[in-house]
Structure formats: C-alpha cells, structure tokens
Amino acid sequence: MMASMHHAPALLPHKAPRTVHPRRLPEVLVPGCPFTDTELQAMVNDGMLQRLVDGTYAPASSAPTPGLRAASMAAILNPRLKRRTVVGRMSAAWIYGCAPAPPAPVLLVPAPRRLSSTGRGHGALLHEVVLGDYDVLEFGAIRVTSPLRTAVDIAVHSEGALAVQTLRRLIGQKGLGLAPSLIGRAIETLPRQPHKRRARDLLARLAATNPSAG
C-alpha cells in the first residue's frame, strides 16, 4: 500500500449534481460468480463480454458508461474501502471515460479520517486529503471525486503526456461542465501547493490549443 499525507483544501462549488441515480447499475461479472476467469476471458475472445478493470467484465452490448465503470470499480473494492474512501485522480478520470483503465485504484481518504482507519488497501493507492461538499459524487456503492475536483487533482498531481491527454478529454467531455478557466480558478484556491505553477502552465497550454473551451 502506498500512501500520501498531502492535504488539499476543498474546491469552489461546482454545478455538477451531488448524487448520480442510475435506475440500475449494469451487471458486472467477476471470476467465480459464476464463471472462472479463464471462462470469462474466453467469452471476451468470443465477443460476448468486454473487460473493464482488474478482472471485471460486462456484456459486450453494455454501453461503457460512467455507471458501468463505477460498478466495476465497486466490484473490486472491499466493503470497508467502499465506505471509507473516494475514488479519485486517474481512477476517477477513467470512470468519466477520459483515461485508461488504472493498473491499481487510486482512493482518497477524507480527513479527518486516518489512513489506518481504512484497513489494508489491497493493492490500492491511498492518499489522505481534505474533500469539500462539492468535491464528491455518489455512483451506486462508491463515491467518486467530481469532474472539477478530478481535473484539479490531475493538473496538480500528474504530469507528462497522459496528464495532458486526460485533462484535454475531461475539458472536452460534454456534460462535465469543465473549462480551463474554471479549473484554473479552482487551482488558485489551493494555498502553497508545490506544483501550482506547473498546473497553471499546463492549463495555459490547453487553453491556447482550444480557445473555445476557455
């Protein structure tokens, strides 16, 4: 288990809804319920299933929606982690359809809860942070950082081509309500953030390549 103790403050209010209420989360299959992993992979090869994240599968006909991806993430987390953490950063961007499937879930532990209260991470990357009322959405059995909080976290904590590509996709994704100017205002609320300048430069480059999104 890897852990970070950096505390980030809550962000500006955002117009995204507090809770997502799908009528029913799509069915997600995991090895042993009732098929073995070998059988599930064979069904992927036959075009019957699609692979989601970390050994979870869904019918090939299921649309790859945020609800489906959230359900697959919920399937690999134990009940304690689902209750006490929030899916964030690149894992949240994946749920929104803007990043590749993560090799390990990135989970945020809301302060004042401590990392030790979550128990074992079971391969997840845990970070202790401060989350505000507008920073979290509910997707069925799990909680996920809002699009704005996700974009700010990626701008501040990620770097390289993947960070640029993910932010560009988040900004361009219809329905998320993001723009470089909105993300930039939220970043300016962060006090003494060591990577603030890098995040500003990244957003400036994105705004320059897509002025209509500013």
Side-chain angles (χ1 to χ4, degrees):
M1 177 179 73
M2 299 178 61
S4 169
M5 298 296 292
H6 177 71
H7 284 202
L11 300 180
L12 298 171
H14 186 229
K15 64 182 179 181
R18 288 286 307 278
T19 305
V20 177
H21 291 291
R23 292 182 180 179
R24 180 185 178 187
L25 287 177
E27 181 181 6
V28 172
L29 300 173
V30 296
C33 299
F35 305 104
T36 67
D37 189 53
T38 300
E39 291 171 327
L40 291 170
Q41 292 185 46
M43 284 187 273
V44 171
N45 295 335
D46 291 338
M48 298 172 60
L49 296 179
Q50 57 179 302
R51 192 175 190 277
L52 298 171
V53 65
D54 195 21
T56 61
Y57 304 83
S61 59
S62 297
T65 63
L68 177 64
R69 287 184 285 266
S72 71
M73 184 69 71
I76 65 175
L77 300 179
N78 65 45
R80 189 181 184 92
L81 288 176
K82 284 188 282 192
R83 288 194 310 268
R84 296 175 177 268
T85 66
V86 177
V87 178
R89 303 188 185 181
M90 282 294 178
S91 294
W94 172 72
I95 285 177
Y96 292 122
C98 298
V106 178
L107 304 178
L108 308 182
V109 182
R113 185 171 287 146
R114 308 299 297 179
L115 288 171
S116 59
S117 70
T118 65
R120 297 180 60 187
H122 297 283
L125 306 177
L126 301 179
H127 303 274
E128 186 178 321
V129 301
V130 174
L131 293 170
D133 291 340
Y134 293 91
D135 290 343
V136 180
L137 304 180
E138 294 181 5
F139 282 79
I142 63 172
R143 295 177 296 164
V144 182
T145 52
S146 68
L148 178 58
R149 178 62 190 243
T150 301
V152 169
D153 282 347
I154 289 172
V156 170
H157 298 290
S158 302
E159 56 185 323
L162 180 58
V164 173
Q165 183 182 59
T166 300
L167 275 174
R168 183 176 287 117
R169 288 178 175 175
L170 283 165
I171 292 168
Q173 186 82 285
K174 292 182 179 179
L176 297 186
L178 296 177
S181 58
L182 176 63
I183 301 169
R185 290 197 301 272
I187 288 173
E188 293 308 315
T189 68
L190 305 177
R192 297 187 179 183
Q193 171 54 243
H195 301 304
K196 201 176 202 178
R197 182 172 182 178
R198 186 183 70 196
R200 287 191 191 116
D201 292 343
L202 173 57
L203 288 172
R205 291 200 304 272
L206 289 174
T209 58
N210 189 12
S212 63

